[in-house]
Amino acid sequence: MSTETPVPTPASQPVLRAENLHRSLGEGESRVHVLRGINLQLKPAMTYSVAGPSGCGKSTMLYLLGLLDRQDKGQIWIRGELMSDASDAERTAARSRHIGFVFQFHFLLPEFSAAENVMLPMKKLGARSPEEMRSRAEYLLGLVGLGAKADRLATHLSGGEQQRVAIARSLANDPALLLADEPTGNLDVANSNMVFDLLQRLTRETGQAILMVTHNPELAERTDARLRMQDGQFVV
Amino acid sequence: MLMSLAGIVFGVGFFIVTQAQTSGFEKFYIDTIIGADSPIRIEDRFQLPGVAIKGAGGEGEETDFYTKTDSNRKYTRGIEYPNKLRAAVEDFSDVTAVSEVLQGDARAISSFSEELANVLGIRIKDHLQVTDIQNQIKWGSIDNFRFNPSSVLLSIGLAERLQLQIGDYMLFEYAGETRRYKVVGIFETGISQIDKSRVFMQLGEARALFKKPFGQAFFQIGVRNVEQAGLLAERLEEALNHNVVPWQERERSWLQVFSVLRISSAITVSTIILISGLGMFNTLAMLVMEKTREIAILRSIGYTRQDISRIFLWQGVLVLIAGTVCGWAFGAGVTLAISKLPIKIRGIFTADSFVVNWDINHYIWAAVVAGITVMIASYIPARRAAALEPGTIIRGTSI
Ligand SMILES: Nc1ncnc2c1ncn2[C@@H]1O[C@H](COP(=O)(O)OP(=O)(O)OP(=O)(O)O)[C@@H](O)[C@H]1O
Ligand SMILES: [Mg+2]
């Protein structure tokens, strides 16, 4: 893995490229062919939205692209490096450096405060001093409107607040690629718009590529590219 | 976790306490027997042709001519050429002193009764250096013995049975001839076998009593390092062509009893630690199952398998450290308390309270046993945690 900090990659090189991804889930009789040949390119400084009926495989795809799961077939390159068949250690390092992930269901560590949750990825990457990590966590929580609740325990936050903490955490290491599974699912209109505006601004400022699954047509309308998924494939 | 911690504290504590006791009594027994009979005895001469005693200054003369038998060594009774042998023994730097002893059984007679006595003829100056007789004297004085050839030191049991006190006179009878002695000292070794029959008299007197003007004696040897007596004995035996018996060999049967006791108590007590290890394994395995979600999150934001297993191993290490340190303190406390317990032991040694041995090795071994147990108990769950695939878990819990 390269040790460079995530600076905007040349427009010619996609942040992520996936070719012919296949994935089946379940065992034996109940085995389902969920993903049936996904082809995808995500360019820096672009926002992408994915929509599609429930159960069509959106989350499954996101786990593959986020290197959290292994495909049955196909390849994934992150910033030009083949990651689909790399070792667990390399994939883990790539997650740490290049990928921010927002789960469909906000996943925070309940024993930790909001700020500590945001600091976790920074601690692992080890590029910042404790003071820098703390101030960056406060800054990111401020961006999602939670500056005042940095020291609240994760379990003492509302669902929407937890989701915003998860978004702040996904941005902790300035990832080149942000994968978000319905990041605004639990948010009211005002907060949805705030989060979306924030993500779009970051894309412009830092050249991040953002792929988000959303059922909200208004938000989808505002992304640079809209993808539709059906039965494990993109449809036009 | 708290139960496991308590188990480790008790396990480590009891391990230390039982080891302190068993090894305490063992050490005390060893001190007693060495104090009574010196670390090494040089007894009978091998009958081997062509091998001479390596004297200090010159070479020994060969007098015996026997055919050499490999399977069955023959001995001539007692040491030969005591002066030459003494010089040769004293050449060994690990030898501190040599005492020549002539032993025989004679009838001890007081005005009250008669007993069979085991008489040791010694030179007190030498014997003081190879045994602890100085401290075994309960009444009377060694000086009186030193300067009066017709005086004896009587063991406490014998003195009681003959109803003799310091200053009394008594007779020894051997082969129909009787000699008269004054009791100038009464001693107690702690070993009841010795304390009911042993008598010390001057070597010259013993030779006269038993009509053995020379030969037939044995040597008792003082050594610099008691633990190394076995090795030294081997070297002595090889060089001197005499049968050399270290205390380890002389008291083998009792020493074996002690070491079996020590080992079996170590094993018994280790099971406490082992069971707490099982409990801990259980707790950690449950913890891993409860925390799969958190593990998946950490993995998704860049934490490696090693990071995850380290978290769970760390739990084990914390329990281990806390358990071992508390167990040490507990063990030391109980050991101290036990050493104050009164108990009356008579027989192979004499003690009036529990004898304990403070040995850092007991603490180290207790920690080693606890360490191995805890590390295995936490390693397996930690590995299982590390092996979890983040995708699988997140998909499973996102319902
Ligand atoms: N462990 C599993 N075994 C078998 N099938 C599974 C398993 N997990 C998910 N599936 C199936 O895979 C398909 C894709 O699931 P996925 O979660 O990717 O859907 P989705 O597009 O994210 O849906 P939603 O919009 O509801 O989140 C679904 O039909 C689901 O039933
Ligand atoms: Mg989904």
Side-chain angles (χ1 to χ4, degrees), chain B residues 14 19 26 146 153 200 239 259 298 302 320 350-351:
Chain B
F14 286 136
Q19 291 302 299
E26 179 177 10
R146 193 195 309 260
L153 300 173
F200 287 111
S259 83
L298 288 173
L320 175 65
T350 298

Side-chain angles (χ1 to χ4, degrees), chain B residues 69-90:
Chain B
T69 51
D70 277 331
S71 55
N72 227 334
R73 269 178 161 174
K74 285 187 178 172
Y75 301 103
T76 42
R77 179 132 165 72
I79 53 174
E80 246 179 354
Y81 310 116
N83 292 338
K84 251 179 201 166
L85 186 65
R86 172 188 289 271
V89 171
E90 281 172 346

Side-chain angles (χ1 to χ4, degrees), chain B residues 382-393:
Chain B
R383 259 194 75 100
R384 205 185 297 169
L388 291 172
E389 274 293 342
T392 327
I393 300 161

Side-chain angles (χ1 to χ4, degrees), chain A residues 10-87:
Chain A
S12 54
Q13 196 198 28
V15 177
L16 177 143
R17 190 152 72 84
E19 250 173 39
N20 198 28
L21 289 179
H22 284 263
R23 182 75 170 109
S24 297
L25 293 173
E27 298 297 323
E29 292 277 296
S30 61
R31 196 162 172 82
V32 199
H33 196 170
V34 181
L35 295 184
R36 301 157 177 261
I38 296 284
N39 292 293
L40 185 65
Q41 278 209 21
L42 301 180
K43 295 220 167 66
M46 290 271 284
T47 51
Y48 300 82
S49 66
V50 179
S54 180
C56 71
K58 302 183 295 294
S59 296
T60 307
M61 178 188 72
L62 241 54
Y63 297 147
L64 287 186
L65 300 181
L67 308 180
L68 297 172
D69 192 16
R70 291 263 189 185
Q71 73 289 345
D72 298 328
K73 201 179 147 199
Q75 279 97 38
I76 299 166
W77 290 264
I78 306 277
R79 305 183 111 201
E81 284 187 66
L82 184 64
M83 276 297 146
S84 45
D85 300 310
S87 71

Side-chain angles (χ1 to χ4, degrees), chain B residues 1 4-5 8-9 12 273 280 313-328 366-376 378:
Chain B
M1 239 17 170
S4 316
L5 180 66
I8 288 169
V9 171
V12 167
I273 298 177
M280 194 159 131
L313 281 178
W314 188 237
Q315 305 273 325
V317 169
L318 286 181
V319 171
L320 175 65
I321 292 173
T324 305
V325 170
C326 294
W328 280 348
V368 167
V369 173
I372 291 173
T373 314
V374 169
M375 279 302 102
I376 292 175
S378 43

Side-chain angles (χ1 to χ4, degrees), chain A residues 35-218:
Chain A
L35 295 184
R36 301 157 177 261
I38 296 284
N39 292 293
L40 185 65
Q41 278 209 21
L42 301 180
K43 295 220 167 66
M46 290 271 284
T47 51
Y48 300 82
S49 66
V50 179
S54 180
C56 71
K58 302 183 295 294
S59 296
T60 307
M61 178 188 72
L62 241 54
Y63 297 147
L64 287 186
L65 300 181
L67 308 180
L68 297 172
D69 192 16
R70 291 263 189 185
Q71 73 289 345
D72 298 328
K73 201 179 147 199
Q75 279 97 38
I76 299 166
W77 290 264
I78 306 277
R79 305 183 111 201
E81 284 187 66
L82 184 64
M83 276 297 146
S84 45
D85 300 310
S87 71
D88 184 77
E90 287 175 290
R91 284 158 61 94
T92 306
R95 286 201 293 271
S96 176
R97 292 206 177 95
H98 303 309
I99 303 173
F101 207 104
V102 183
F103 294 103
Q104 185 168 9
F105 302 91
H106 36 86
F107 278 134
L108 301 181
L109 292 194
E111 294 91 346
F112 293 100
S113 72
E116 284 166 338
N117 265 284
V118 176
M119 282 155 71
L120 279 172
M122 300 189 247
K123 274 186 184 148
K124 181 56 207 173
L125 193 62
R128 290 183 172 86
S129 71
E131 297 76 43
E132 288 170 333
M133 289 196 282
R134 173 72 203 187
S135 65
R136 177 158 175 84
E138 281 169 3
Y139 164 74
L140 290 170
L141 286 171
L143 288 184
V144 294
L146 288 173
K149 296 183 174 171
D151 291 317
R152 282 274 185 95
L153 265 189
T155 44
H156 294 175
L157 294 170
S158 78
E161 286 169 339
Q162 291 186 34
Q163 193 152 33
R164 281 184 280 157
V165 175
I167 290 164
R169 188 180 65 193
S170 73
L171 298 170
N173 287 337
D174 251 327
L177 172 64
L178 188 71
L179 301 170
D181 203 345
E182 298 195 45
T184 57
N186 274 294
L187 302 184
D188 57 28
V189 179
N191 272 314
S192 290
N193 283 328
M194 180 187 75
V195 165
F196 189 85
D197 290 344
L198 166 67
L199 294 182
Q200 209 152 33
R201 202 181 81 220
L202 288 174
T203 311
R204 308 273 177 261
E205 284 171 5
T206 64
Q208 274 173 329
I210 297 182
L211 176 66
M212 67 168 83
V213 173
T214 180
H215 287 298
N216 184 334
E218 282 164 38

